[in-house]
Amino acid sequence: MASAPVSFGVYRPAGAPLGPQEMLATMREAGYDGTDSGPIGYLGTARTLPERLAAQGLGLAGGWVDLRYDDPDGFREDLAALDTALDVFTAVRDAEGAADPRFAPRPTLACPDRPERFARPGMPADRRLSLPDGDWPAYAGCIDEAAARCRDRGLEPVFHHHLGTDVETPEEIERLLGSTDVSLCLDTGHLWLAGGNPVAAIRDWSSRIRQVHVKDASRDVLARVRANGGDLWDLVAAGGFPPLGQGDLDLPAVLAELRRSGYEGWIVIEQDVTAFRASDTEALARAVADQRANRAAFGEALRAAGLA
């Protein structure tokens, strides 16, 4: 299983509380086998990342790239960022040699925040803010083009649904799957807060799931934040995505369903937390402790599900 820089509040390459080598060492010491890339460039480039990962004995699960599928000109501009990410991912893959393709880096395609949806994340969704039916064919066509670009480099992409974006609710994920050939990155926390059921999703979408982000979430926190007019950042700050075992997620049931579905690939343990600076030693110590606890909770869930 893999960790992720987002669990340490890293959303941008600059200003991270840990340098890349220290971040990777911290993950390894906590018992993880790999990592998500975080923002492209943070952990390293196509030249430096393979050696850094090898030094810690870690694999690369993939990494997030968002593209403006609703804006033809913006989409063309964003393809350069996708190519940069693919350079990094293929460099890691090639450095690993004949590694298991099930654990090759997954380019994680996503869409940018939609401001009006970011302001009111999760359930109940305002259907008036959904992408219009007439826009879906072109939108899906851009997703398929980005996916094909990844496959041309020998990598299987996954699409990450997310609160505050055009692909948030279970119905929108269904629309995505029915309109494209892209594989899915299932995020248990974001799906739960958008009104979905992760166990049912694994059962229904198992043939398309090629990566899983395990994340806990609390609908009670979501309801309080929305009642107070809070947005997605307020939800994160309020603890809407707590450590594993402290929210609503039935992790043993999720793991059992993954086993029944035959899923084989990375499981990335994530916890969306507020960004903080290296000078905030209390926040850093809490993040490190939480990610160690998340790794332990995952092991306990495996045992509870009879899988370890």
Side-chain angles (χ1 to χ4, degrees):
M1 78 207 58
S3 185
V6 69
S7 301
F8 297 84
V10 178
Y11 296 91
R12 296 178 178 82
L18 292 172
Q21 293 174 328
E22 189 177 5
M23 174 68 77
L24 294 174
T26 298
M27 290 176 176
R28 188 60 186 171
E29 290 166 2
Y32 293 94
D33 305 303
T35 181
D36 179 88
S37 72
I40 300 301
Y42 161 60
L43 288 178
T45 63
R47 182 179 60 83
T48 61
L49 184 54
E51 183 177 351
R52 287 177 178 170
L53 290 169
Q56 296 297 332
L58 294 174
L60 182 65
W64 176 285
V65 183
D66 56 30
L67 299 98
R68 288 169 284 177
Y69 307 107
D70 63 328
D71 176 355
D73 292 335
F75 176 73
R76 296 293 157 200
E77 293 176 6
D78 294 342
L79 289 175
L82 176 59
D83 288 340
T84 297
L86 295 176
D87 289 343
V88 175
F89 300 155
T90 54
V92 171
R93 178 202 61 195
D94 295 345
E96 292 177 346
D100 190 331
R102 296 172 299 175
F103 297 95
R106 302 289 190 208
T108 309
L109 305 177
C111 38
D113 298 330
R114 181 74 67 184
E116 58 272 26
R117 299 191 72 164
F118 190 94
R120 296 285 290 170
M123 56 187 289
D126 185 344
R127 306 300 178 186
R128 296 171 298 178
L129 302 180
S130 296
L131 193 70
D133 289 346
D135 291 355
W136 263 101
Y139 195 90
C142 287
I143 293 173
D144 277 337
E145 182 178 342
R149 202 178 190 94
C150 298
R151 295 182 185 124
D152 286 344
R153 301 287 295 273
L155 295 170
E156 179 62 26
V158 290
F159 192 96
H160 191 308
H161 57 97
H162 200 280
L163 296 183
T165 73
D166 286 324
V167 183
E168 176 177 15
T169 68
E171 294 77 18
E172 287 163 343
I173 298 170
E174 290 276 7
R175 187 77 180 259
L176 169 84
L177 296 175
S179 303
T180 71
D181 66 359
V182 73
S183 298
L184 183 67
C185 174
L186 179 70
D187 187 299
T188 60
H190 283 268
L191 181 68
W192 178 251
L193 295 188
N197 181 321
V199 174
I202 296 166
R203 183 175 60 247
D204 295 342
W205 303 331
S206 61
S207 64
R208 300 287 289 275
I209 295 172
R210 293 291 179 273
Q211 191 164 93
V212 177
H213 289 184
V214 165
K215 182 180 298 169
D216 213 335
S218 169
R219 286 182 177 175
D220 286 344
V221 173
L222 172 66
R224 289 198 299 271
V225 169
R226 284 185 53 128
N228 291 326
D231 63 10
L232 183 52
W233 284 128
D234 294 319
L235 174 65
V236 171
F241 300 102
L244 293 180
Q246 297 183 28
D248 305 331
L249 182 67
D250 187 345
L251 184 53
V254 166
L255 297 178
E257 192 61 39
L258 284 172
R259 172 63 65 86
R260 282 192 290 270
S261 76
Y263 175 76
E264 294 180 309
W266 283 107
I267 293 178
V268 183
I269 298 176
E270 283 191 337
Q271 183 185 351
D272 294 356
V273 301
T274 304
F276 57 91
R277 297 186 177 276
S279 58
D280 190 343
T281 56
E282 181 178 345
L284 178 57
R286 181 169 58 251
V288 171
D290 281 349
Q291 301 328 306
R292 289 176 177 164
N294 282 340
R295 174 64 183 86
F298 187 90
E300 292 171 2
L302 283 174
R303 290 187 287 275
L307 303 177

